[in-house]
């Protein structure tokens, strides 16, 4: 069965840092494009970053320069390193199989990030 397990979220002060992880199983991770998306309270799901099977990365304007996406194919794990967090980063963060434009219907439970003083 396909599983996507997000972890690493929590409460952090503005300007702080967190690292999120996505542990994947049930599909060929190394052959798959992967992305992070987030959903703020009362808002829709928004793609924020992708890391693709050809090695390229892509970032949304809202997080560019602050977040770094990476992956370890040997561990079937994707990461999102978040620096200089802002209140508008408060959201549930989800791991997705796919690119910015093409996404597979695989869903995890998400991990909550709350940025507050």
């Amino acid at each position: 069965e396909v599983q996507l397990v997000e972890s690493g979220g929590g409460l952090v002060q503005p300007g702080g840092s967190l690292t999120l992880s996505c542990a994947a199983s049930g599909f060929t991770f190394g052959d798959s494009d992967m992305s992070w998306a987030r959903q703020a309270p009362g808002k829709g799901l928004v793609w924020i970053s992708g890391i693709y099977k050809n090695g390229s990365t892509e970032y949304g304007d809202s997080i560019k320069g602050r977040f770094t996406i990476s992956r370890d194919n040997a561990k079937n794990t994707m990461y999102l390193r978040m620096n200089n967090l802002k209140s508008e980063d408060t959201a549930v963060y989800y791991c997705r199989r796919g690119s910015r434009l093409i996404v597979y219907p695989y869903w995890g439970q998400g991990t909550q990030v709350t940025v507050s003083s």
Side-chain angles (χ1 to χ4, degrees):
E1 81 192 56
V2 172
Q3 286 190 310
L4 297 170
V5 181
E6 299 94 339
S7 63
L11 176 64
V12 64
Q13 295 183 357
S17 299
L18 284 173
T19 298
L20 307 183
S21 298
C22 168
S25 60
F27 63 96
T28 307
F29 183 84
D31 289 338
S32 301
D33 296 333
M34 299 293 294
S35 296
W36 286 99
R38 67 186 182 186
Q39 186 170 26
K43 304 295 180 62
L45 188 66
V46 178
W47 174 94
I48 57 169
S49 187
I51 183 164
Y52 307 129
K53 61 185 179 182
N54 65 4
S56 65
T57 59
E58 190 175 20
Y59 297 93
D61 289 342
S62 63
I63 57 90
K64 190 176 298 181
R66 299 189 296 121
F67 294 7
T68 302
I69 191 169
S70 62
R71 65 194 292 169
D72 186 340
N73 289 342
K75 296 181 178 180
N76 284 3
T77 302
M78 178 176 65
Y79 305 95
L80 186 68
R81 303 186 186 280
M82 306 185 295
N83 297 319
N84 192 25
L85 284 160
K86 304 175 180 180
S87 61
E88 56 262 40
D89 296 319
T90 295
V92 179
Y93 285 72
Y94 294 96
C95 177
R96 306 164 84 184
R97 181 186 179 189
S99 67
R100 183 174 67 86
L101 299 177
I102 301 174
V103 180
Y104 287 73
Y106 306 156
W107 306 103
Q109 82 287 350
T111 186
Q112 175 72 50
V113 173
T114 302
V115 184
S116 177
S117 59

